Amino acid sequence: MHFHEKPNTYVTNVEIKVSDLQRSLTYYQEVIGFNVLHQESHRATLTADGKTALLTIVQPETVEEKTSSSGLYHFAILLPTRRDLANIITHFHNNGVYFGASDHDVSEALYLSDPDKNGIEVYADRPESEWTWHFDQVHMVTEPLKVQSILEEGDGSWNGLPADTVMGHIHLSVSNLAAAEEFYTKGLGFEIVTRYGTQALFISTGRYHHHIGLNTWYSENAPKLGENQVGLKTFSLRLDNEEQATTMKENLRAIGAPVTNIDGGFQTEDPSGNVILLKF
């Protein structure tokens, strides 16, 4: 999983707002397989390895349902192997958990939603050697998943998310794709690796198939998510070094994006109101 190591810029943690913390904790532990790393009255941090924070869930004091807005399309949990994907499919089946499924050529993916309809992808990558590149664009498709082929690699064991699980990527609903493209490429230095029609694009560093997805499928010209509405609160990206951070800040200010220093890095906000924490 070298795509999720420095010097790449990649998603480390996603923070979402939920309507009922205890209900969400039950879901994310029993269905998805996270463990609790730290918990407070209205906030919990979840982990796969017992030390690395991957997902943070927060219950606002006043909770509002999400309406049509920009924000989270889904966050994506990357499993270490295809066998792990097989085992979680069996786990879902045994517990009556409904999920969708797609073959993206570069990866095999399952899709589901938490109790607040926050989108979740659980996936395993195909070997990098099997990806097809056309110059600087990686070939990605959305085809039916051959579930039986995956299940043949499983051993039926499921004890929660494997310790080597990482936050593979985040996919965002944005209000204007051109503005999002400028922000993430000129401001944060990501490279476009796939254009998916006229309403979606995928970006990465280090020639990964995508660390971030952006689309306007249901959010063209939509307002940003409200402060107390369930959905995305923040997501974190890993910085490599101080020089990179300085360059990013300069580039963000040059395109008119906000920059605020925080402990361990800085914070910014994309044109659709998605808040990003950039940390070392």
Side-chain angles (χ1 to χ4, degrees):
M1 295 194 180
H2 65 94
F3 296 111
H4 299 85
E5 298 174 352
K6 291 184 177 185
N8 294 315
T9 304
Y10 57 95
V11 182
T12 57
N13 180 268
V14 174
E15 183 180 23
I16 58 172
K17 295 172 287 184
V18 300
S19 60
D20 186 321
L21 185 69
Q22 290 306 316
R23 180 179 67 170
S24 293
L25 275 172
T26 298
Y27 177 85
Y28 279 107
Q29 290 177 92
E30 295 183 1
V31 176
I32 304 300
F34 279 107
N35 294 312
V36 176
L37 182 63
H38 182 70
Q39 183 177 349
E40 301 171 25
S41 59
H42 289 84
R43 182 184 186 89
T45 304
L46 306 180
T47 182
D49 64 4
K51 55 187 178 181
T52 306
L54 296 181
L55 180 68
T56 303
I57 53 177
V58 180
Q59 180 183 329
E61 288 188 16
T62 303
V63 183
E64 300 173 10
E65 290 186 6
K66 181 181 177 181
T67 55
S68 179
S69 68
S70 58
L72 183 70
Y73 189 69
H74 63 243
F75 63 83
I77 301 163
L78 174 57
L79 301 177
T81 69
R82 198 173 193 240
R83 172 173 288 183
D84 297 317
L85 188 65
N87 291 341
I88 201 171
I89 289 173
T90 300
H91 163 67
F92 287 163
H93 176 75
N94 290 343
N95 288 275
V97 177
Y98 172 80
F99 60 89
S102 293
D103 185 332
H104 296 303
D105 199 56
V106 294
S107 63
E108 296 172 299
L110 315 177
Y111 295 95
L112 59 168
S113 298
D114 76 3
D116 290 294
K117 296 183 172 56
N118 290 306
I120 305 165
E121 176 181 344
V122 180
Y123 74 111
D125 279 333
R126 282 201 168 91
E128 181 184 355
S129 60
E130 296 180 9
W131 303 355
T132 302
W133 287 85
H134 302 288
F135 300 102
D136 59 350
Q137 300 286 292
V138 67
H139 177 69
M140 291 176 65
V141 296
T142 299
E143 301 288 350
L145 188 66
K146 297 178 180 177
V147 174
Q148 190 57 45
S149 170
I150 299 171
L151 290 175
E152 289 171 0
E153 297 195 18
D155 58 17
S157 65
W158 179 253
N159 297 303
L161 294 172
D164 292 340
T165 299
V166 299
M167 188 62 70
H169 64 267
I170 192 168
H171 194 148
L172 302 170
S173 295
V174 298
S175 57
N176 184 292
L177 196 61
E181 178 178 336
E182 179 184 57
F183 174 87
Y184 286 98
T185 59
K186 294 183 179 179
L188 295 183
F190 283 90
E191 298 177 339
I192 297 171
V193 288
T194 298
R195 291 189 184 275
Y196 208 72
T198 61
Q199 292 185 299
L201 59 87
F202 298 88
I203 59 178
S204 75
T205 58
R207 285 175 71 84
Y208 189 47
H209 56 71
H210 66 296
H211 288 113
I212 300 177
L214 305 162
N215 79 70
T216 56
W217 291 325
Y218 305 104
S219 57
E220 186 97 44
N221 299 318
K224 71 177 185 179
L225 189 72
E227 181 70 23
N228 295 317
Q229 288 181 306
V230 297
L232 183 66
K233 184 173 176 65
T234 70
F235 69 94
S236 299
L237 294 173
R238 176 73 72 217
L239 289 168
D240 185 22
N241 54 53
E242 289 283 358
E243 182 179 358
Q244 180 199 36
T246 299
T247 299
M248 278 187 179
K249 289 178 184 179
E250 292 173 352
N251 291 341
L252 287 165
R253 291 186 178 113
I255 61 173
V259 174
T260 304
N261 290 325
I262 58 174
D263 288 343
F266 68 94
Q267 174 179 313
T268 187
E269 185 176 310
D270 77 9
S272 298
N274 297 305
V275 177
I276 305 136
L277 312 179
L278 292 107
K279 298 181 178 181
F280 295 101

